[in-house]
Amino acid sequence: MTALHLEFDVAGNNFVSAGSASDEVKKTLKMLGVDAQFVRKVAIAMYEGEINMVIHAGGGKAAVDIYPDKIVIVLADHGPGIPDIELAMRDGYSTAPDAIRDLGFGAGMGLPNMKKYTDSMDIQSTVGKGTTVTMTVNFAA
Amino acid sequence: MDKSLHTVTLDRDKCKGCIACMKRCPTEAIRVRNGKAKVYYDRCIGCGECVRMCPHQAKLPAYDPLESIYKYKYRIAVPAPSLFGQFNNLDDVDLVLNALLELGFDDVFEVARGAELISEETRNLMRDGKLKKPIISSACPAVLELIMMRYHSLLSHVIDLVSPADVALRLAREKAESEGVPPEDIGVFFISPCPAKVYALKTGMGLDKPAADGVLSIGELYFKLLPVMSQLKDKPLKKLSKTGILGVRWAASGGESLGIYQNRYLAADGMENINNVLKAMEDGTLNYIDFVELGACPSGCVGGVLNVENPFVARVRIRALRDKLPPVANKLTDEKKDRSFYHWEVTPEAQDVYRLDSDLSVAIEKMQRIEAIYKTLPHLDCGGCGAPSCRAFAEDVARGETTLDMCSRR
Ligand SMILES: Nc1ncnc2c1ncn2[C@@H]1O[C@H](COP(=O)(O)OP(=O)(O)OP(=O)(O)O)[C@@H](O)[C@H]1O
Ligand code: SF4
Ligand code: SF4
Ligand SMILES: [Mg+2]
């Protein structure tokens, strides 16, 4: 069977709508009857990824494919790119400016949590071109 | 149990099918079919939003009429603290409680007393440190039902305590029994601020069997209490109140949180706000909070649709009672109960009311059909089809509950 395919535009620097794509995905997973523990993992990982696109990359696109046994989330942006992915992945590493920190972001825990709550995560990034994060969560304990 | 008997009903003659209620129902439980509002009760959380919104007074909250108390020989009134917020310049809650006796009750037992006990047990549990944080209050049954339907992953965060009303109802009954009243003669009646509590208390949510023999409405009693209260005004009153202000403040949003004696709490009220808080909890962004108090009604229980007074006014009045009552008047050690007395006997379970199919592959196919239908719709969310949004309409079509030709704007 073909996967259920969903696409979302994630607007840059819009904190009011930030998180709306992951909200829609959560709602869809609940209607599909996906177990709560996986909904929670997807919620956390996709929310963090979506927020990163808003804060660090001026927005982008989210493409989601839902299969009977897994969900694959691709977050693609045309932002500044990540020069050192290994460094960016470290707990607490953040380049968020003060204004963003004042909003409660910038603890440097987004990427580590995305990794923690997904079964696989891949980051492709080119400085000056953009970043694509691909995450998979399997629906099996 | 049939929710229609315990949440909201429709006066079909008054309903004009205007869609106002349908657009505002937070769980998309309402459809307009054949020109009349129809509630899908498995999705109804009893929040009363539809009662609030209906411009034609066609939505009626369900409750037991005051006459129903006479089925019992010994009748005890168990009023929610919001009742005290309904009266102007109330300096003595005993005036209300004495008036309840005049109305036909033999005794009174304030829900606020149960609230003080639940607050203390909450503090004990927080001190034990075994609860999953953020801890979500179980006090608002509309919120609890919302979590059971929509936020399954957060159910394990809900504190497993019975409602203050259930504590009060059971203690009230035990008191009468210990005074020698035959058990079959005793009727304990909760006086409720909202239809969600009518439903929860009548069905015994979280309990093996309901603690209430009936649930009355603050609004109905208000109009009967007023004349009696003015008669009693200058007469000597019986000392009946046994609550402190801490329990009474549960009536308004933030009041329950005062009882945990800690600062890292969040109190939100109104459906939109609580949905936003629950979504944020799912996303893991509120992990630094210890305790989350959520009330479906604006301003908390004083905003429930069975109240009479504007919630903002009621809230001020509740706060003003601070000078008239002791800080706290009920302690767990006074009641000498096992801790289990305050805990759920039955754990509320996740409900799959939105699930498209029990087989994930079939559900995915149905969702693809919904997406395909949705693409053909005008995305006006006009409600003309009888569904609250184009998306909900697409779902209804895919579920076979309506047909595409109901949309006249494609
Ligand atoms: N899509 C992206 N485009 C460009 N840079 C990114 C992107 N996502 C992450 N980064 C970089 O990686 C760093 C670490 O990201 P991470 O999500 O872990 O922390 P944060 O967003 O700074 O803070 P937090 O997520 O805790 O609010 C960011 O500060 C940023 O420099
Ligand atoms: S608000 Fe709902 S119940 Fe009231 S008239 Fe309109 S459709 Fe009928
Ligand atoms: S009481 Fe609330 S949940 Fe139930 S039908 Fe009315 S608005 Fe919807
Ligand atoms: Mg981040």
Side-chain angles (χ1 to χ4, degrees):
Chain A
M1 71 178 290
T2 53
L4 173 66
H5 183 76
L6 306 170
E7 280 183 19
F8 306 91
D9 283 320
V10 177
N13 296 313
N14 182 344
F15 293 99
V16 181
S17 67
S20 58
S22 66
D23 264 354
E24 281 302 315
V25 172
K26 275 194 283 191
K27 207 176 153 207
T28 303
L29 292 178
K30 290 174 189 177
M31 283 179 67
L32 294 174
V34 170
D35 195 276
Q37 58 176 312
F38 307 120
V39 177
R40 182 165 163 269
K41 289 166 107 181
V42 172
I44 295 172
M46 184 159 173
Y47 174 81
E48 291 294 345
E50 194 181 342
I51 293 291
N52 276 355
M53 287 205 294
V54 175
I55 292 178
H56 306 295
K61 280 195 189 311
V64 174
D65 285 288
I66 304 170
Y67 302 84
D69 59 342
K70 67 177 176 198
I71 179 170
V72 180
I73 302 160
V74 180
L75 304 171
D77 65 59
H78 298 287
I82 306 175
D84 185 341
I85 292 173
E86 209 181 306
L87 181 64
M89 285 296 301
R90 283 196 200 149
D91 283 10
Y93 177 82
S94 174
T95 60
D98 288 346
I100 297 288
R101 285 172 199 269
D102 289 344
L103 291 169
F105 302 105
M109 288 309 293
L111 289 172
N113 275 332
M114 288 156 69
K115 174 129 191 101
K116 179 173 159 196
Y117 287 100
T118 54
D119 293 297
S120 73
M121 177 164 109
D122 170 70
I123 304 176
Q124 298 293 328
S125 192
T126 310
V127 173
K129 287 234 157 70
T131 303
T132 298
V133 180
T134 306
M135 300 182 283
T136 303
V137 172
N138 297 324
F139 303 148
Chain B
M1 195 168 302
D2 184 358
K3 266 192 196 168
S4 66
L5 300 175
H6 304 310
T7 53
V8 290
T9 57
L10 187 70
D11 182 336
R12 288 189 69 83
D13 294 334
K14 284 191 182 164
C15 176
K16 302 218 184 317
C18 71
I19 79 171
C21 59
M22 177 178 82
K23 289 294 262 185
R24 283 297 292 272
C25 172
T27 59
E28 297 190 329
I30 304 176
R31 299 293 183 273
V32 173
R33 301 271 186 250
N34 302 316
K36 303 285 172 192
K38 174 180 168 148
V39 175
Y40 286 79
Y41 282 103
D42 57 339
R43 292 184 176 193
C44 174
I45 58 172
C47 66
E49 197 67 13
C50 53
V51 178
R52 227 173 253 126
M53 293 322 293
C54 178
H56 307 288
Q57 283 77 47
K59 281 280 187 177
L60 310 170
Y63 53 83
D64 297 315
L66 181 57
E67 303 86 74
S68 65
I69 68 171
Y70 293 105
K71 275 190 287 193
Y72 297 86
K73 287 199 190 121
Y74 190 88
R75 304 168 286 269
I76 312 174
V78 183
S82 346
L83 179 64
F84 304 135
Q86 307 302 306
F87 307 99
N88 201 8
N89 295 323
L90 182 71
D91 359 85
D92 190 352
V93 297
D94 272 330
L95 182 59
V96 181
L97 301 177
N98 277 261
L100 282 168
L101 296 189
E102 296 292 317
L103 277 192
F105 290 98
D106 299 283
D107 198 4
V108 291
F109 199 108
E110 296 148 291
V111 169
R113 298 179 60 187
E116 296 191 335
L117 298 170
I118 290 292
S119 281
E120 188 179 346
E121 181 60 4
T122 304
R123 292 196 296 277
N124 287 341
L125 290 170
M126 290 180 77
R127 202 171 313 119
D128 293 348
K130 289 187 195 126
L131 300 177
K132 223 190 239 183
K133 286 188 185 171
I135 299 159
I136 306 176
S137 158
S138 59
C140 174
V143 169
L144 182 54
E145 286 232 50
L146 182 71
I147 295 172
M148 286 157 70
M149 288 179 199
R150 278 217 164 144
Y151 298 95
H152 295 178
S153 72
L154 299 178
L155 258 178
S156 57
H157 289 253
V158 180
I159 195 163
D160 71 326
L161 293 173
V162 303
S163 69
D166 279 317
V167 170
L169 288 158
R170 286 162 154 196
L171 291 175
R173 170 173 283 282
E174 283 180 20
K175 176 173 175 263
E177 284 179 9
S178 74
E179 287 164 2
V181 184
E184 64 276 13
D185 288 352
I186 303 171
V188 285
F189 295 89
F190 175 52
I191 304 173
S192 176
C194 70
K197 283 189 172 158
V198 174
Y199 177 72
L201 274 290
K202 284 195 71 111
T203 55
M205 198 185 270
L207 303 180
D208 287 331
K209 63 175 182 32
D213 296 300
V215 183
L216 313 173
S217 147
I218 287 185
E220 191 197 353
L221 266 69
Y222 173 82
F223 292 102
K224 299 188 166 142
L225 283 169
L226 273 187
V228 183
M229 283 169 64
S230 64
Q231 277 170 24
L232 286 176
K233 196 112 204 169
D234 302 310
K235 304 216 171 100
L237 295 175
K238 277 193 212 154
K239 178 81 193 105
L240 296 170
S241 175
K242 293 203 171 69
T243 186
I245 186 66
L246 192 76
V248 174
R249 291 196 72 169
W250 274 58
S253 178
E256 180 186 359
S257 297
L258 292 175
I260 64 167
Y261 299 170
Q262 289 184 36
N263 289 324
R264 263 184 305 179
Y265 68 82
L266 178 162
D269 52 272
M271 287 307 303
E272 196 179 335
N273 294 330
I274 64 172
N275 267 310
N276 286 336
V277 170
L278 291 169
K279 279 182 196 165
M281 282 187 72
E282 276 186 324
D283 297 340
T285 59
L286 292 178
N287 292 342
Y288 59 95
I289 304 259
D290 289 334
F291 186 81
V292 177
E293 171 190 341
L294 301 173
C297 293
S299 292
C301 295
V302 287
V305 293
L306 296 179
N307 293 293
V308 180
E309 188 49 89
N310 164 317
F312 300 103
V313 175
R315 190 181 192 140
V316 173
R317 291 180 182 163
I318 292 285
R319 212 183 304 135
L321 288 170
R322 191 169 46 190
D323 306 328
K324 329 274 182 196
L325 293 169
V328 189
N330 296 271
K331 295 203 175 62
L332 290 178
T333 47
D334 300 339
E335 300 302 332
K336 300 183 187 63
K337 289 281 171 205
D338 193 81
R339 278 180 87 171
S340 64
F341 181 79
Y342 302 98
H343 289 252
W344 282 337
E345 291 162 347
V346 182
T347 303
E349 281 175 15
Q351 293 170 12
D352 277 325
V353 294
Y354 296 99
R355 191 171 185 168
L356 290 169
D357 200 278
S358 55
D359 179 329
L360 185 49
S361 303
V362 178
I364 288 177
E365 277 166 27
K366 285 191 183 166
M367 190 58 100
Q368 284 166 330
R369 204 150 74 234
I370 291 171
E371 291 293 328
I373 296 168
Y374 180 67
K375 284 204 179 86
T376 72
L377 300 177
H379 303 179
L380 296 168
D381 295 342
C382 67
C385 58
S389 65
C390 293
R391 182 156 283 280
F393 177 64
E395 281 170 38
D396 289 354
V397 174
R399 289 183 202 264
E401 278 163 22
T402 186
T403 48
L404 257 186
D405 59 337
M406 288 303 294
C407 173
S408 56
R409 308 179 74 161
R410 289 169 74 221

